[in-house]
Amino acid sequence: MTRPTNDANPTDLIAGYVLGDLSREEAVHLRQMLVEDPARAKELKSFEEAFSLLPYDLPMVEPSARLKAKILSAAIASAPEPAAAPQPSNVVSIAPRRQRHWKRWIPAISTSIAAITVAALGLNQMQLSQQSQQTVALQQQLEATNTELTRLRDELQANQSTVAQLSDPDTQVQILVGSVPNPTNSPFPTARLLAKPGDPEVTLVAHDLPKLSEKQIYRLWSVADTTAPPMYCGQFRQDDSGTAQWLVPDAICTKQPLKVIITLDAPDDPTTSAGPLVMQSTT
Amino acid sequence: MNLMPSDRPVVGEQSTDAEVFLAIQAQQVSALDLLYERYGRLVYSTALRILKTVEEAEEVTQETFLRLWQRSDIYQPSKGSLSGFLIMLTRSRSIDRMRSRQASHRRLQRIQTAAACVLNYNPPLEFATVEERSTVVREALKQLLPAEKQLLESAYYEGLSQSEIAKRDGIPLGTVKSRSRQALKKLRAALKHHL
């Protein structure tokens, strides 16, 4: 493990951060440097931009034409219904000119009545098709709204339970802060752990904690003192609202530990040692 | 956002990425079309390099563009270029898929920046075409030794941790770390006029 020193080269640490090779201590050291010297943030950004330019060296491969069509049609299907355009105020002055224009072509049209009929049928079909697309879009919006309502109901139910815990005077709250930023939207995750001494049920409410794959699980560990190894206090996956509830395996987990930490592990990892640190309590 | 037709941003070949993004926020399909024309090949090539299957690369490409279309708030222009964001998203999703295929996934991805306080970050390359950027990056990479370039590519495309690279290549971990950092510093120095 690389350990930081007081004279660690900031540029080295920034390069290491972008490459993802910082030790926990180095990451803490870098965060401290960024707080103390905001100008370093610009340097970090330029390192990230340099690293992110690597794909421009790749031989460019042309995706299939149907991929673009697929993306655009999916975008159209998911686009909100456009607002109806108001009738332009100058429509009256344009209309007579159009009528005169049509009149000039009436003889030609009258000799092509069959073609017009076919065109009219085609237009009807197109209008029907447009109406059908609008109906499908409305149905999709309705389904999306129903799904959102269900999600909000679930969230409300979960929050009611959390509020009930918070209103209990014996409930203790631990604030946790992430060690690495969320790769999707960049802020460092934060969380509150609600636990009541003697009660095996704990609740974690997290923000910006990355979603897990099937092969991953978050684990909570309790640290009794600086010399003791972390003690396993259960594992969890957060729901869509960032909340998780589970029962700790040992009552000692909720007896005011010195610190609690959250690690990223595989579900079948042994519970005798902790995986990479994700969050830790601030006290 | 319900903009009147006359208020809608109009985009064309000459539009900047910032203008294209505004039009995407206004849900203009033509803007998404233009963005795909600009970066579709780059996004797809990146996904293909990481995932190595056409089917998955196409899926990630679709997810990347649709994600921006459906949730344009996930991109914040003040934090970096739109092209950089698309590549970051592509890489993140590709590596997620690759790792989900693998038995172990222990390391958190650390792709996005902690430098949230950097405002108005507009690197000069933002205004270059993909072809011009490719030329600049290829010239810059010539400053690196082949082994240094290989280390950066392993970290970028294979999502390998330094210890995984050390184990795979039979090189001491300390050497991998110092060489990788040195390589990235050289690349940044070679690109300094463009960042």
Side-chain angles (χ1 to χ4, degrees):
Chain A
M1 181 183 287
T2 309
R3 292 201 169 274
T5 60
N6 289 336
D7 58 349
N9 181 336
T11 304
D12 262 350
L13 285 184
I14 289 173
Y17 170 81
V18 173
L19 289 163
D21 73 3
L22 292 188
S23 66
R24 188 183 309 170
E25 291 82 0
E26 284 176 323
V28 171
H29 191 48
L30 176 61
R31 283 184 65 188
Q32 187 62 34
M33 281 198 311
L34 289 172
V35 169
E36 290 169 1
D37 184 4
R40 290 281 176 203
K42 193 170 180 183
E43 187 181 4
L44 190 154
K45 187 72 212 165
S46 72
F47 266 96
E48 288 190 319
E49 282 283 331
F51 194 45
S52 75
L53 289 172
L54 272 184
Y56 285 97
D57 182 46
L58 288 174
M60 292 294 152
V61 184
E62 192 74 47
S64 72
R66 65 178 165 75
L67 178 60
K68 180 181 172 183
K70 201 172 162 186
I71 290 171
L72 294 181
S73 61
I76 290 166
S78 67
E81 197 71 14
Q87 200 73 352
S89 58
N90 58 350
V91 68
V92 175
S93 64
I94 289 172
R97 284 209 302 272
R98 282 190 174 167
Q99 282 171 353
R100 284 197 297 273
H101 180 71
W102 273 104
K103 280 175 185 171
R104 286 212 311 263
W105 290 95
I106 284 175
I109 294 169
S110 65
T111 59
S112 309
I113 194 72
I116 291 171
T117 307
V118 170
L121 283 171
L123 184 65
N124 280 341
Q125 279 184 332
M126 199 166 77
Q127 285 171 336
L128 280 171
S129 168
Q130 282 174 344
Q131 283 170 355
S132 170
Q133 282 176 4
Q134 285 172 350
T135 307
V136 169
L138 282 172
Q139 280 174 342
Q140 284 174 340
Q141 279 182 1
L142 186 62
E143 281 170 19
T145 306
N146 283 336
T147 307
E148 181 67 7
L149 272 174
T150 307
R151 189 187 68 75
L152 287 171
R153 275 197 204 103
D154 292 346
E155 202 171 309
L156 180 64
Q157 203 168 2
N159 285 343
Q160 280 172 339
S161 165
T162 307
V163 169
Q165 269 187 292
L166 273 172
S167 61
D168 188 327
D170 293 331
T171 297
Q172 294 166 352
V173 182
Q174 295 257 18
I175 310 292
L176 294 98
V177 177
S179 306
V180 289
N182 187 318
T184 307
N185 53 4
S186 85
F188 283 85
T190 56
R192 282 175 171 74
L193 181 73
L194 313 180
K196 185 176 166 187
D199 186 345
E201 186 175 74
V202 295
T203 301
L204 183 99
V205 183
H207 296 283
D208 299 311
L209 192 58
K211 292 279 171 64
L212 296 170
S213 74
E214 287 178 5
K215 308 274 186 187
Q216 296 173 305
I217 199 88
Y218 287 123
R219 283 183 174 168
L220 179 75
W221 306 79
S222 159
V223 181
D225 61 66
T226 51
T227 58
M231 179 181 174
Y232 174 68
C233 290
Q235 57 189 23
F236 64 93
R237 287 174 184 280
Q238 53 182 339
D239 62 18
D240 288 342
S241 67
T243 304
Q245 280 184 320
W246 71 98
L247 300 177
V248 294
D250 194 312
I252 203 165
C253 289
T254 55
K255 283 191 179 172
Q256 281 203 305
L258 178 70
K259 179 183 268 195
V260 291
I261 61 174
I262 291 173
T263 60
L264 180 67
D265 298 85
D268 55 355
D269 276 349
T271 56
T272 48
S273 62
L277 180 71
V278 177
M279 306 183 89
Q280 59 185 324
S281 57
T282 54
T283 52
Chain B
M1 186 183 290
N2 287 328
L3 289 175
M4 301 296 284
S6 58
D7 296 334
R8 284 173 165 245
V10 176
V11 293
E13 291 293 325
Q14 302 302 318
S15 301
T16 63
D17 283 357
E19 290 164 342
V20 173
F21 176 66
L22 284 176
I24 284 177
Q25 280 187 312
Q27 295 286 288
Q28 284 190 46
V29 177
S30 59
L32 185 66
D33 189 338
L34 184 59
L35 191 71
Y36 183 88
E37 281 299 314
R38 279 185 190 173
Y39 299 117
R41 286 199 313 156
L42 180 68
V43 165
Y44 176 73
S45 302
T46 305
L48 189 62
R49 171 68 176 77
I50 295 171
L51 292 163
K52 298 183 172 61
T53 76
V54 169
E55 188 183 10
E56 284 194 295
E58 286 191 350
E59 285 172 5
V60 166
T61 304
Q62 180 168 355
E63 286 169 11
T64 300
F65 282 97
L66 286 181
R67 180 78 176 150
L68 183 72
W69 172 258
Q70 290 162 346
R71 286 285 312 278
S72 58
D73 59 310
I74 59 173
Y75 168 62
Q76 294 172 39
S78 62
K79 292 187 183 175
S81 65
L82 181 58
S83 54
F85 175 78
L86 286 172
I87 297 172
M88 182 279 295
L89 200 57
T90 305
R91 181 189 177 225
S92 169
R93 284 175 174 263
S94 300
I95 290 178
D96 268 351
R97 277 173 175 256
M98 183 176 67
R99 285 181 171 161
S100 72
R101 297 193 303 225
Q102 297 168 346
S104 64
H105 176 187
R106 306 293 183 88
R107 205 166 63 89
L108 270 181
Q109 287 180 70
R110 311 158 49 77
I111 297 165
Q112 184 59 291
T113 180
C117 55
V118 178
L119 295 174
N120 302 319
Y121 188 84
N122 287 308
L125 277 184
E126 176 73 1
F127 304 102
T129 65
V130 170
E131 289 72 23
E132 287 166 342
R133 290 177 211 183
S134 291
T135 304
V136 166
V137 172
R138 282 175 188 149
E139 283 302 312
L141 283 169
K142 286 180 185 171
Q143 308 294 315
L144 274 65
L145 297 172
E148 292 175 329
K149 186 182 169 193
Q150 178 63 45
L151 278 173
L152 288 188
E153 288 179 341
S154 292
Y156 194 93
Y157 298 117
E158 296 167 45
L160 294 178
S161 68
Q162 306 289 289
S163 56
E164 286 167 333
I165 294 173
K167 191 176 173 186
R168 186 193 66 182
D169 297 347
I171 305 172
L173 176 58
T175 307
V176 172
K177 281 193 174 187
S178 59
R179 278 187 191 166
S180 302
R181 292 181 184 186
Q182 184 62 22
L184 185 57
K185 285 194 284 186
K186 279 169 80 172
L187 178 62
R188 175 180 172 256
L191 290 167
K192 67 181 175 186
H193 298 302
H194 305 281
L195 296 175

